[in-house]
Amino acid sequence: MADSVVAFLLEHLSQLLQHEANLLCGVQDRIISLRNELEIINAYLKTSSRGNRNNNKEIEQKVLSQIRDVAHVAEDVIDTFIANIAMYKKRNMLGRMLHSVDHAKLLHDVAEKIDKIKTTLNEIHENRIKYYQESSDQSSSAREEEERIQSLHRLRRNVEEENVVGFVHESEVVINRLIVDDSSSPRLKVVSIIGMGGLGKTTLARKIYNSEEVKNHFDCRAWVYVSNECRSRELLLGLLQNLMPNHINNDCRSSSSNIKKKGKKKHKEGVNNSQDISSLSNDELKKKVWECFKWKKYLLVLDDLWKIQDWDEVKDAFPDGNRGSRILITSRLKEVASHTGRDPPYCLQFLTEEHSWELFSKKVFRGEKYPCDLESLGKQIVKSCGGLPLSILVLAGLLANKEKSHREWSKLLGHVNWYLTRDETQVKDIVLKLSFNDLPSRLKPCFLYLGIFPEDYEICVRQLLQLWVAEGFIQETGNRDPNDVAEDYLYELIDRSLIQVAQVKDSGGVKTCRIHDLLRDLCILESKEDKIFQICTDSNILIPTKPRRLSVHSTMSHYVSSSTNDHSCVRSLFCSDPNCFVYSDEWKWLTKGFKLVRVLDLDGKYCFKIPSNLGNFVHLRYLRIDSHYIRSVPDSICSLQNLQTLYLGPSIRVTTISFPCGITKLKHIRHLYTCGPIKLRGDCSESNGDAMWNLQTISSIVLDKRTTYLIEKGSFPKLRKLCLQISSNFKGDVPKMLISLQHLRHLNKLEIYFQVKDWPHSRWEINCKAEEVLQSLKHLRHLSILKIRNALDLFTCVAMFPPNITKLTLSCISCLNDDGINAIGNLTKLQILILTGDNWFLDFWPSDSLFDINCIEDGFPQLKEFQMGNLPVRNWKLANGSMSRLQILVIHHCDKFDSLPSELWSLTTLRKVCVRKPSDAMAAMLQNLEVKNGCELIVE
């Protein structure tokens, strides 16, 4: 998108003028002038992106394209200049003197290039005025464009309504929402169906609308198609045309003679005035609609509602006569559905493979018997559509008029994606492109970016949000954290059915997501036009390109040895090969050819060493190397002043990874994820005064004197999430060091990982008692999530917890007594409790180590979810009022545990009980149990 490119460039220029003013002698005025020019252009782009319609769409698109290209050129000039400045600053005084001529030449070249860029921008502006004026009187093109849009809408409706397959369960659910509980809920109610374009919302609504059950239930039915281009007046006129007498006689019936008389009177008035409705004001139109519905129990369908504003402008035209009337809305947008009614919307899913094949064969063979040898091939074709009805119909339409032979269908199977995007009138423009075009400009680059990931890839939401921020897609944040704004963008795209939720976190947020294959195809297609990114596979390595973002979907070694492309302009590089080997040759290739890169994302789990010249990537904002083998990070990382996110594999091992103490110089870094705990090297006193003001996450760090020193000196003032590893042979004062955590005023989540010795008979070897460790944590009032790994017998004492804990996880417990349970039960805000042992330990526990869980009276007042697993629990007792709000219970592999407390089943809030690998006695007990209050019981 042109506006995101210009906005990011403006940020670059502002930083350059702010931080490098002393090195801009001779070009500072030109850079300020370029920035001013770009600010005006940016304002123009924002105005044009808000949907200003004119008769010169092709000219506007060309202007935007030219501005984007010039912005890319300017970006290259500025980024190269910044990289050269960074190299100049690294030299000592003598080196700077020796290269002073080169620096002067650099400034001269930049000045010339900026002048040339400004000249080009002026030419674009002049040409736009010239040709815009010449074409302003060509109103015929506007009429043609309007007719084309209307044609597309008609065709889309025809395609969606043409075939009704499946939707048996779906229609039953929605019909049930429409017609049940009339007596208990006679007020007007809105029911909504949501889903991405092409899923069949209109088809389902039409099936419901025409069902005998619905026809017999309502006195009057009316259907109006809204669309994205519709306005309230057009909607009301369309509705009145639907309600005129010739329609009323077919669709309406009176349930009593009294209603019939009043209805006839109103109908007659409608006939008399039907010719004049086009001249009525909006308020008069609303009144006429209101009169048509006034005495009836009606069903109104508003099909394809896009905007909240459209609903707000017409909703008072629909009377609530306390007769059980209903309004059925279909929409792509969850926010629209949620705004129109109180009940949650019905989310339409993709077709099953069975229903997909049924729809396909019905369209292709038109009820005739089909050849058996085509079924297998046809099902492969249908599978490529991913359950999207519209694409199935388009493919079926292509094959319906072709020879029904194995040879002909085999050719299609080999080019399915090409066929799906071949006819823009049917697929790209009608459904997918309409959904894309309706996106606000701020969401478009975020959506298109999803095409970078491989097909059917499950995308980690945390990484996706950080990538959006690093790419500069999150511009206007005010005082809000950019990651929070990015999360809002994600949920907007989910609500628009453009992103699918794959996994959900325990907290309820989205953990992973994915994008439908057809939408991914659209992302790739649009990205080619807007030069956002390029996908490289084995089949197109030799095709010459000069992309801004490159996603390599082949092995890195193969790409490095085969590609001859110029990578000097690449800002983001992705390599999705999980078995990628990153050796010294690959690093040389990267550091030489990708000097301007901002995002470097390598699935290089076989990367063993990071090169010492990593600091040459001066623009780097996001670095991810998914490796388990990195042991040290070079000092040059301290030169990456723009770095925001560093990800060096998941925290799965205890082997430390060495970092320089100078990392505190990284002012913009937000997140540090490492495969092992960070161990700082060097003299931390040299970083005195350096605060990492933006740092929010440290996935794992060794608790030692260096770490404690930095915490006490305020080096991590806004840290939210922290994991501390405490070595089993550490001789320092652990409680005193933990008390230093009070300096972290924003700390929300803390994980403490105690290393153990003499496994499996594990023990700590630190110079303190368990209660001293817990005592040092009680003052962390901002903490809401606490996890302690290798807790062992930590909770056999009277424990003191941070008072505002909402989630507590204790793992590898070896013993738990009443004192520990009572301390946990007294946490007044605790909502989630997870207690686990180690399944390896089960075989080593002696019979006398079994323990009971005795929950005190009125304990655990806010607990909603309780999980325990791999524990030698013998009995569990619930005192009166304990766990009164429990909703979810999960018990896993507690094979000494034979019975659940009887008080559990009297909890009215309980919704789900899951028991995995129960003992024989527990399994027998659960088999004969009668669960009440709608609680779901799962035994696995």
Side-chain angles (χ1 to χ4, degrees):
M1 304 291 103
D3 51 347
S4 64
V5 176
V6 173
F8 196 86
L9 182 55
L10 280 169
E11 179 189 343
H12 249 1
L13 293 175
S14 296
Q15 290 181 0
L16 187 64
L17 291 166
Q18 182 179 354
H19 301 297
E20 309 294 349
N22 61 322
L23 295 175
L24 300 180
C25 180
V27 296
Q28 188 171 8
D29 291 343
R30 284 181 170 86
I31 291 178
I32 291 173
S33 177
L34 177 60
R35 184 190 64 180
N36 294 340
E37 185 95 13
L38 289 171
E39 284 176 345
I40 296 172
I41 290 173
N42 195 41
Y44 160 72
L45 292 173
K46 287 182 178 180
T47 304
S48 64
S49 68
R50 293 192 185 110
N52 289 354
R53 292 180 175 84
N54 49 61
N55 301 335
N56 308 279
K57 185 171 287 188
E58 289 187 12
I59 292 178
E60 289 298 316
Q61 290 297 326
K62 196 65 179 177
V63 168
L64 292 176
S65 177
Q66 290 177 354
I67 290 174
R68 179 203 61 220
D69 291 344
V70 175
H72 280 156
V73 172
E75 188 179 46
D76 291 343
V77 170
I78 299 301
D79 281 358
T80 303
F81 180 56
I82 292 174
N84 288 327
I85 285 179
M87 293 295 293
Y88 183 78
K89 288 173 66 177
K90 286 181 181 179
R91 297 188 175 102
N92 55 28
M93 185 64 69
L94 179 60
R96 293 187 185 186
M97 289 176 62
L98 292 174
H99 290 84
S100 59
V101 175
D102 293 337
H103 185 65
K105 185 177 184 301
L106 172 66
L107 294 174
H108 181 267
D109 290 344
V110 169
E112 283 191 345
K113 290 176 180 178
I114 291 176
D115 288 342
K116 187 174 181 181
I117 289 168
K118 289 193 63 181
T119 299
T120 306
L121 288 173
N122 287 331
E123 288 175 356
I124 293 172
H125 176 65
E126 290 170 1
N127 286 335
R128 178 186 177 275
I129 294 175
K130 175 183 176 182
Y131 292 108
Y132 185 91
Q133 186 66 37
E134 289 179 1
S135 59
S136 59
D137 296 329
Q138 298 177 5
S139 57
S140 60
S141 62
R143 288 195 299 270
E144 291 173 2
E145 177 68 12
E146 184 66 27
E147 290 173 3
R148 189 186 73 86
I149 291 172
Q150 294 300 324
S151 174
L152 291 178
H153 285 309
R154 286 194 298 271
L155 182 55
R156 175 189 170 278
R157 277 180 280 171
N158 292 338
V159 171
E160 286 195 341
E161 297 174 14
E162 188 176 37
N163 288 276
V164 179
V165 167
F167 291 150
V168 176
H169 171 72
E170 292 83 351
S171 59
E172 288 176 354
V173 171
V174 179
I175 288 174
N176 191 52
R177 293 187 183 186
L178 290 172
I179 68 176
V180 298
D181 299 330
D182 270 5
S183 56
S184 60
S185 180
R187 301 296 302 272
L188 176 66
K189 187 167 75 172
V190 178
V191 177
S192 54
I193 303 169
I194 66 170
M196 68 172 284
L199 268 182
K201 300 182 295 297
T202 300
T203 302
L204 174 59
R206 184 67 70 181
K207 182 174 184 175
I208 294 165
Y209 184 83
N210 291 326
S211 69
E212 291 301 319
E213 198 172 4
V214 167
K215 285 181 179 179
N216 295 329
H217 186 78
F218 293 97
D219 300 326
C220 178
R221 296 174 301 123
W223 180 295
V224 61
Y225 180 71
V226 185
S227 89
N228 188 23
E229 303 296 326
C230 188
R231 294 293 177 266
S232 58
R233 182 171 184 82
E234 284 74 23
L235 193 154
L236 293 168
L237 285 169
L239 188 55
L240 280 172
Q241 290 171 5
N242 194 289
L243 290 171
M244 286 295 102
N246 57 328
H247 296 290
I248 291 174
N249 292 336
N250 293 331
D251 286 347
C252 300
R253 64 178 180 83
S254 298
S255 56
S256 68
S257 57
N258 187 37
I259 294 176
K260 195 170 184 179
K261 290 177 182 177
K262 293 179 180 179
K264 282 184 177 179
K265 182 179 179 181
K266 301 301 174 188
H267 296 171
K268 186 175 180 181
E269 292 174 2
V271 173
N272 293 336
N273 297 321
S274 62
Q275 286 77 18
D276 302 322
I277 60 172
S278 60
S279 61
L280 298 178
S281 68
N282 280 10
D283 288 339
E284 290 170 328
L285 290 173
K286 288 180 187 179
K287 184 177 180 180
K288 193 164 284 290
V289 170
W290 195 88
E291 290 292 337
C292 287
F293 282 138
K294 182 178 178 181
W295 302 105
K296 302 177 181 64
K297 178 181 180 179
Y298 62 88
L299 170 65
L300 169 62
V301 178
L302 298 180
D303 185 29
D304 205 19
L305 185 65
W306 284 74
K307 297 181 179 67
I308 290 174
Q309 179 185 356
D310 289 344
W311 166 257
D312 288 341
E313 289 178 356
V314 300
K315 64 182 180 181
D316 54 350
F318 313 133
D320 182 3
N322 237 21
R323 300 175 182 274
S325 296
R326 299 289 184 260
I327 297 176
L328 178 61
I329 287 173
T330 71
S331 180
R332 303 181 190 195
L333 309 179
K334 185 179 179 181
E335 63 179 14
V336 172
S338 300
H339 179 78
T340 57
R342 295 181 179 179
D343 292 347
Y346 183 81
C347 300
L348 195 58
Q349 304 299 317
F350 294 97
L351 292 180
T352 63
E353 289 187 13
E354 179 183 356
H355 286 147
S356 296
W357 171 247
E358 183 183 352
L359 176 60
F360 177 84
S361 56
K362 179 180 179 181
K363 173 77 174 180
V364 173
F365 301 106
R366 299 184 175 95
E368 299 177 4
K369 189 175 180 179
Y370 53 83
C372 295
D373 63 322
L374 288 181
E375 182 173 352
S376 175
L377 194 58
K379 286 184 176 179
Q380 290 182 59
I381 294 173
V382 171
K383 190 175 181 179
S384 68
C385 297
L388 188 66
L390 183 60
S391 62
I392 294 170
L393 288 171
V394 171
L395 273 176
L398 289 170
L399 289 174
N401 298 315
K402 289 182 178 291
E403 178 187 349
K404 295 175 179 59
S405 66
H406 196 277
R407 176 181 60 83
E408 197 67 31
W409 283 28
S410 294
K411 288 195 297 184
L412 174 67
L413 183 60
H415 301 87
V416 165
N417 288 334
W418 180 78
Y419 271 94
L420 285 177
T421 56
R422 176 183 177 216
D423 192 334
E424 293 192 356
T425 315
Q426 292 189 350
V427 179
K428 185 169 172 284
D429 274 349
I430 297 176
V431 182
L432 306 181
K433 190 69 184 292
L434 276 177
S435 295
F436 172 69
N437 286 342
D438 185 64
L439 287 175
S441 61
R442 57 188 166 79
L443 292 182
K444 285 182 177 179
C446 296
F447 170 66
L448 294 182
Y449 197 75
L450 297 168
I452 282 177
F453 300 97
E455 191 173 347
D456 297 323
Y457 187 83
E458 200 163 299
I459 305 165
C460 175
V461 164
R462 181 188 68 194
Q463 294 176 12
L464 177 64
L465 302 184
Q466 291 164 3
L467 283 167
W468 283 350
V469 173
E471 294 282 7
F473 296 156
I474 315 299
Q475 291 292 331
E476 298 176 5
T477 61
N479 294 324
R480 295 189 64 198
D481 184 88
N483 265 62
D484 294 338
V485 178
E487 189 173 32
D488 290 346
Y489 287 11
L490 174 78
Y491 283 105
E492 282 191 67
L493 290 170
I494 290 173
D495 286 348
R496 290 171 176 268
S497 304
L498 294 175
I499 292 180
Q500 303 167 24
V501 176
Q503 294 184 47
V504 179
K505 295 185 288 189
D506 292 338
S507 60
V510 180
K511 184 176 182 180
T512 62
C513 64
R514 61 165 58 94
I515 183 172
H516 192 272
D517 292 347
L518 290 177
L519 290 170
R520 179 176 175 271
D521 291 340
L522 175 67
C523 291
I524 294 172
L525 191 66
E526 290 292 321
S527 292
K528 285 181 181 178
E529 295 178 9
D530 288 315
K531 300 181 180 179
I532 293 178
F533 66 82
Q534 176 72 40
I535 299 292
C536 182
T537 63
D538 289 334
S539 61
N540 69 347
I541 284 180
L542 298 178
I543 298 175
T545 58
K546 201 174 181 180
R548 310 298 292 185
R549 299 175 182 88
L550 176 65
S551 185
V552 180
H553 294 180
S554 65
T555 63
M556 177 178 278
S557 58
H558 181 47
Y559 183 82
V560 172
S561 62
S562 304
S563 175
T564 58
N565 289 337
D566 178 8
H567 300 111
S568 60
C569 295
V570 172
R571 294 308 195 280
S572 303
L573 175 64
F574 296 82
C575 182
S576 57
D577 177 15
N579 298 313
C580 173
F581 284 80
V582 188
Y583 291 129
S584 57
D585 288 344
E586 279 76 22
W587 276 117
K588 287 179 183 178
W589 174 75
L590 286 169
T591 53
K592 181 180 178 181
F594 296 84
K595 293 180 180 179
L596 303 183
V597 72
R598 297 189 197 118
V599 170
L600 186 57
D601 191 314
L602 307 176
D603 274 346
K605 69 179 181 182
Y606 295 112
C607 177
F608 297 93
K609 185 178 180 181
I610 298 177
S612 60
N613 61 347
L614 178 70
N616 290 347
F617 293 124
V618 295
H619 295 289
L620 201 61
R621 292 179 166 221
Y622 179 99
L623 174 61
R624 175 177 173 266
I625 306 172
D626 198 6
S627 173
H628 301 167
Y629 303 102
I630 295 173
R631 299 289 186 267
S632 179
V633 175
D635 290 351
S636 63
I637 193 173
C638 303
S639 299
L640 303 180
Q641 290 299 307
N642 293 303
L643 192 64
Q644 297 174 356
T645 300
L646 177 64
Y647 181 98
L648 300 178
S651 298
I652 59 172
R653 60 179 175 83
V654 296
T655 307
T656 60
I657 178 169
S658 175
F659 269 75
C661 275
I663 196 172
T664 54
K665 297 176 182 178
L666 301 182
K667 305 300 183 186
H668 291 97
I669 197 158
R670 299 173 179 275
H671 308 283
L672 275 172
Y673 304 103
T674 52
C675 50
I678 294 171
K679 187 172 181 62
L680 297 171
R681 65 176 185 266
D683 186 359
C684 286
S685 62
E686 294 180 1
S687 62
N688 190 23
D690 289 331
M692 305 172 78
W693 287 101
N694 291 293
L695 187 63
Q696 299 174 13
T697 307
I698 300 178
S699 67
S700 185
I701 191 169
V702 173
L703 181 66
D704 58 15
K705 292 180 180 179
R706 288 187 178 93
T707 302
T708 306
Y709 174 82
L710 292 177
I711 292 174
E712 290 178 342
K713 290 297 181 182
S715 297
F716 315 129
K718 295 185 179 179
L719 195 65
R720 296 182 184 179
K721 300 176 183 178
L722 172 66
C723 174
L724 292 173
Q725 187 194 66
I726 301 177
S727 174
S728 60
N729 57 6
F730 181 59
K731 304 304 180 183
D733 190 340
V734 171
K736 183 178 179 181
M737 290 180 172
L738 289 175
I739 288 175
S740 69
L741 298 177
Q742 296 179 60
H743 294 276
L744 304 177
R745 303 297 184 187
H746 295 271
L747 191 64
N748 173 262
K749 179 179 180 180
L750 173 64
E751 181 176 345
I752 300 176
Y753 179 25
F754 289 99
Q755 274 190 293
V756 294
K757 275 193 170 184
D758 300 332
W759 186 83
H761 304 289
S762 303
R763 58 191 175 88
W764 297 345
E765 280 198 358
I766 54 178
N767 298 325
C768 65
K769 296 179 181 179
E771 54 264 35
E772 292 176 328
V773 172
L774 293 174
Q775 189 77 8
S776 63
L777 299 177
K778 68 178 183 180
H779 300 293
L780 302 180
R781 305 190 65 84
H782 297 283
L783 203 66
S784 62
I785 301 173
L786 175 62
K787 180 176 183 179
I788 299 179
R789 299 169 64 185
N790 289 333
L792 304 184
D793 61 351
L794 179 64
F795 297 96
T796 56
C797 60
V798 179
M800 293 294 292
F801 289 94
N804 295 312
I805 292 292
T806 60
K807 180 178 180 180
L808 177 63
T809 303
L810 308 175
S811 68
C812 291
I813 298 171
S814 61
C815 188
L816 189 63
N817 63 10
D818 288 351
D819 287 339
I821 288 293
N822 292 345
I824 299 172
N826 285 323
L827 292 171
T828 58
K829 296 183 180 181
L830 186 65
Q831 298 182 20
I832 300 174
L833 174 62
I834 303 174
L835 305 176
T836 64
D838 193 311
N839 57 358
W840 205 93
F841 289 172
L842 291 176
D843 297 331
F844 295 89
W845 267 319
S847 58
D848 60 356
S849 67
L850 299 179
F851 59 83
D852 297 339
I853 296 179
N854 299 312
C855 298
I856 59 175
E857 186 173 348
D858 296 324
F860 304 93
Q862 298 295 329
L863 193 69
K864 296 180 180 179
E865 182 175 345
F866 180 29
Q867 299 183 30
M868 59 178 173
N870 299 314
L871 289 175
V873 178
R874 180 174 46 205
N875 294 304
W876 177 21
K877 294 181 182 178
L878 275 175
N880 184 41
S882 185
M883 295 191 181
S884 59
R885 299 191 178 187
L886 189 66
Q887 298 177 8
I888 299 172
L889 172 64
V890 179
I891 300 174
H892 173 63
H893 205 180
C894 295
D895 54 7
K896 309 298 182 184
F897 191 26
D898 293 338
S899 179
L900 294 173
S902 58
E903 295 85 357
L904 183 70
W905 309 110
S906 64
L907 299 177
T908 57
T909 56
L910 197 63
R911 294 290 175 261
K912 180 180 178 180
V913 175
C914 180
V915 183
R916 301 188 181 100
K917 296 185 178 180
S919 65
D920 292 341
M922 176 74 80
M925 186 274 292
L926 294 174
Q927 188 175 9
N928 299 319
L929 184 68
E930 290 187 10
V931 182
K932 300 178 181 179
N933 299 325
C935 178
E936 179 185 12
L937 177 61
I938 302 171
V939 182
E940 299 175 343

